[in-house]
Amino acid sequence: MKFDKIELELTKEMINAGLEKAAQSMAFFTKEEVTIQSTDVQIQPLSSIGELLNKEEDTDLTILTTNIRGELGGVCYLIFSEVEVNELLKVTLPASILNDPEKLAVMSDACLLYTSPSP
């Protein structure tokens, strides 16, 4: 799919709005200021996702999927390696949960899927 100039700009705005929400969610959990800088947007066919990932290092991946609705629909994928997920959980969860596999299983999904309330 080829985007014209207006569609590409709208797509960039949607992606930046989503990244801003992600930063707000991360800031909520880490109690730190989080900024995300988006300088390059590339629209890739889904078939090329294997090329974007280093399969040898990222054997266990967590992929969060968000459906984009509206005139310009689509799907947004946020991909974390196992190391990245563990680092996020280490920063966001207390030791009492990190040391309890049952609670960790529940809370890890909750942390990754959390959306902060709009300001």
Side-chain angles (χ1 to χ4, degrees):
M1 167 190 248
K2 290 283 185 186
F3 285 30
D4 64 30
K5 187 176 180 178
I6 293 172
E7 289 172 329
L8 187 57
E9 288 305 313
L10 287 171
T11 301
K12 287 180 181 181
E13 285 181 31
M14 287 189 315
I15 290 170
N16 285 329
L19 290 173
E20 184 178 336
K21 283 291 263 182
Q24 290 171 358
S25 294
M26 184 62 63
F28 173 84
F29 280 111
T30 62
K31 310 277 190 279
E32 301 273 336
E33 181 179 341
V34 175
T35 58
I36 298 175
Q37 297 176 349
S38 176
T39 57
D40 183 33
V41 173
Q42 297 178 12
I43 307 302
Q44 301 279 341
L46 185 57
S47 60
S48 70
I49 197 156
E51 299 167 18
L52 300 173
L53 303 172
N54 183 337
K55 295 177 186 177
E56 291 178 26
E57 289 182 24
D58 296 329
T59 54
D60 291 329
L61 299 174
T62 298
I63 302 173
L64 304 180
T65 305
T66 303
N67 290 319
I68 301 171
R69 297 187 181 124
E71 285 186 45
L72 188 61
V75 180
C76 179
Y77 297 97
L78 183 57
I79 303 168
F80 293 105
S81 70
E82 184 177 12
V83 170
E84 292 167 328
V85 168
N86 290 335
E87 285 297 315
L88 286 170
L89 296 176
K90 192 167 82 173
V91 169
T92 59
L93 296 174
S96 61
I97 292 176
L98 292 172
N99 296 326
D100 183 332
E102 194 172 299
K103 288 180 183 176
L104 181 60
V106 173
M107 290 304 294
S108 62
D109 285 347
C111 285
L112 293 171
L113 299 174
Y114 176 78
T115 302
S116 65
S118 299

